[in-house]
Amino acid sequence: MTNPLLDDRDVAFTLYGVLGAESLLGLPHFEEHSRETFDAFVSVAARFAREAVFPATRALDEDPPRLVDGRVLVSPRLHTLWPKLREMGVIAAARPFEVGGQQLPLAISTAASLYLMAANPALFGFPGLTAGAAHLIEEFGSEALKALYLEPMHEGRFTGTMALTEPHAGSSLADVSTRARPAGDHYLISGSKIFISGGDQDLSENIVHMVLARIEGAPSGIRGVSLFLVPRLRFGVSGLEPNDVGVSGLIHKIGWKALPSVVLSLGEGGDCRGWLVGAPHQGISCMFQMMNEARIMVGANGVATASVAYHESLGYARERPQGRLATSKDPQLPQVPIIEHADVRRMLLRQKAIVEGGMSLLLQTALYADRASHAATEGERQHAQVLLDLLTPVTKSFPAEKGFESTVLALQIHGGYGYTSEYLPEIFFREQKLNSIHEGTTGIQGLDLLGRKVVAHNGAAMRAFAEEIARTCERAAAAGVAASWIGALTGAAVEVSELTKELAQRGRSGDVEGMLCHSADYLELFSTTVIAWQWLLQAAAAREAMASGSSERDFLEGKLAAAQYWLRTELPRVPALVTLCRENEDSYLTMRPSWF
Ligand SMILES: Cc1cc2nc3c(=O)[nH]c(=O)nc-3n(C[C@H](O)[C@H](O)[C@H](O)COP(=O)(O)OP(=O)(O)OC[C@H]3O[C@@H](n4cnc5c(N)ncnc54)[C@H](O)[C@@H]3O)c2cc1C
């Protein structure tokens, strides 16, 4: 069976049937579009992903970049794929017409990206990073920088990177030590960055690094970090000229091999020029725009890789004959396909619930981003913004963590063959692991959610979230979804809300350690509830479609089965996690490093 990467019916059902993405067409910003232009964009990406990118999966995995005479050379296959990807306009798809974009909703461009990421996450790294870097310049750059860099970046002639990490400053960006010395209209940059994805390659004419550095004399810590545009080649009198940006090493990764990750040395010759983007010392708050977008993209990668792995194992399970059912062990009977075994269906259903629940959350979050920027009233924009902020750490970490488990299940369904390099699941498994590490590890997402997001604006985000859940419950009740499912979500939401207030109070009373000690458990229980909310929405939309006489009966029954799975087997884990946080079970806190 050919792997579809994603189920087209599910993408359309989630976007339109569940989340009502067509309502965006009523907003002035999207009035030039129609359902047809949305669908056309998604289907062009899907076709390219299926026909050109996915077939190159194994070859791209086996042909990593090479460092030759100080330059990184990528696989020749990328030289064929990259121009076609540029032509599709994926880099500026969601940017406004006036900067050369297609002014599509982020929800639509994200849906299209899912296919490309599922086909090869590393390839999508190039346009993804370029889009984020260009958006930073569009938002915070000077007019001169915009005039020089935006167009070539949107066209993909120049690519972009985010250059944050240093050997001693990964999770802790407060410790960034790259220096910036004022020198007229620019700064002289010196320092070293590690793990910079797309940091060098021979695909584009130029590379634009968005670099975090500290202006001489700046305060220590996060408030002394500024953002700079540092091109590999700078504009000189006679065109592009070297800017003293060197590659001092190539990282040998276990996945995402087509996208080079490099160690950059900036200013070894004393002549690396950087241009300030945004105000001095405001680098982190500017960079948060790119980081938040990138976190949603990482969530998308988590969904995409889990999806391609799920479809691979679904196809395998339908075709692999093995054993007989417990009810008929007669060896004269032919073997059954393994999908007939309940335990294999358990693994498939768990994957389906993670993949489709994760995609639903992802597209929901992208819709909040669209409404936060373009909704008709200030009140609606603010409502969407607080939900976007609240859900970003979950949208990043749930597909990364549960998507990894899901990818492991895909390998498990392949039995011994899954443990070989002849079959694809081992690649998906390696690709997926990155998503819980880059763009802030899961540990950092848990701290962000509990330490910042749920307590922000005096709990306004949690109130907005409660309203969304109440609206979903009303819709589910009207659609005829089982009352016990609705009650289960309502009950979990109340427990999460009560716990959040208690933990916030613990923090306010000075016991910050007691508040945050279970941030990983809190992230888990919060995410489980968020996905239950999405599954209740999916169930409501499935019931609505059934009532309106849809012919997709099997598809809709599958939706209800996955909703039941999440609400009845995953959601009941929430109270146990709530107790752990509430009682502040202190094994992690009291365990001393010397006791290990
Ligand atoms: C393939 C790849 C591509 C990357 N691409 C880029 C890129 O393009 N640009 C870029 O700037 N960076 C990039 N990175 C770097 C990435 O963002 C960092 O690796 C990540 O932020 C973690 O930093 P670290 O590796 O230094 O780990 P550390 O920060 O040392 O973390 C190690 C462990 O300690 C935990 N930890 C650390 N601090 C805390 C804390 N305060 N509380 C609780 N737990 C904590 C972490 O959760 C983690 O489990 C990339 C990394 C990889 C592997």
Side-chain angles (χ1 to χ4, degrees), residues 279-493:
H281 318 316
Q282 296 298 312
I284 290 288
S285 64
C286 296
M287 196 44 136
F288 254 105
Q289 174 186 289
M290 186 170 182
M291 281 158 68
N292 282 329
E293 287 170 0
R295 285 174 180 180
I296 294 172
M297 283 298 113
V298 171
N301 268 304
V303 168
T305 300
S307 178
V308 66
Y310 162 58
H311 286 291
E312 194 72 14
S313 60
L314 180 59
Y316 186 82
R318 288 193 198 285
E319 286 169 6
R320 164 78 177 162
Q322 195 66 198
R324 291 160 191 84
L325 296 184
T327 48
S328 58
K329 287 283 186 196
D330 180 357
Q332 302 303 318
L333 290 173
Q335 296 194 24
V336 296
I338 59 172
I339 198 167
E340 296 292 336
H341 299 302
D343 191 56
V344 173
R345 289 203 301 279
R346 170 187 67 80
M347 293 189 272
L348 288 168
L349 186 55
R350 181 162 170 71
Q351 287 186 74
K352 179 178 168 70
I354 290 169
V355 169
E356 296 177 10
M359 185 176 76
S360 197
L361 171 64
L362 172 76
L363 296 176
Q364 172 84 80
T365 306
L367 279 167
Y368 286 137
D370 287 318
R371 296 204 172 102
S373 301
H374 307 296
T377 67
E378 178 59 24
E380 287 169 296
R381 290 194 289 275
Q382 267 179 14
H383 179 78
Q385 185 66 50
V386 293
L387 286 162
L388 170 63
D389 292 345
L390 177 72
L391 292 175
T392 296
V394 182
T395 304
K396 194 272 180 191
S397 59
F398 175 85
E401 290 291 340
K402 297 297 161 185
F404 184 71
E405 287 179 26
S406 180
T407 309
V408 170
L409 290 175
L411 193 148
Q412 185 74 12
I413 286 172
H414 281 72
Y417 303 94
Y419 200 67
T420 70
S421 53
E422 306 302 313
Y423 286 75
L424 291 174
E426 63 90 18
I427 297 189
F428 305 142
F429 166 84
R430 288 186 278 112
E431 308 278 38
Q432 184 68 287
K433 192 65 214 112
L434 179 59
N435 294 318
S436 63
I437 297 172
H438 66 169
E439 288 315 323
T441 60
T442 302
I444 297 301
Q445 302 305 318
L447 290 169
D448 182 41
L449 178 69
L450 181 54
R452 284 192 212 101
K453 298 299 168 58
V454 295
V455 292
H457 317 297
N458 272 330
M462 287 300 283
R463 285 192 295 279
F465 181 47
E467 283 168 27
E468 294 295 290
I469 288 193
R471 239 195 306 275
T472 299
C473 290
E474 276 171 29
R475 179 176 168 186
V481 174
S484 62
W485 295 7
I486 300 171
L489 177 62
T490 313

Side-chain angles (χ1 to χ4, degrees), residues 393-394 397 442 445-446 449 519-528:
V394 182
S397 59
T442 302
Q445 302 305 318
L449 178 69
S519 55
D521 299 311
Y522 183 87
L523 178 66
E524 172 99 20
L525 68 90
F526 195 91
S527 306
T528 305

Side-chain angles (χ1 to χ4, degrees), residues 162 164-165 170-171 195-197 253 261 434 437 439 441 447:
M162 58 195 298
L164 286 57
T165 307
S171 300
F195 286 123
I196 306 311
S197 300
K253 297 178 292 188
S261 291
L434 179 59
I437 297 172
E439 288 315 323
T441 60
L447 290 169

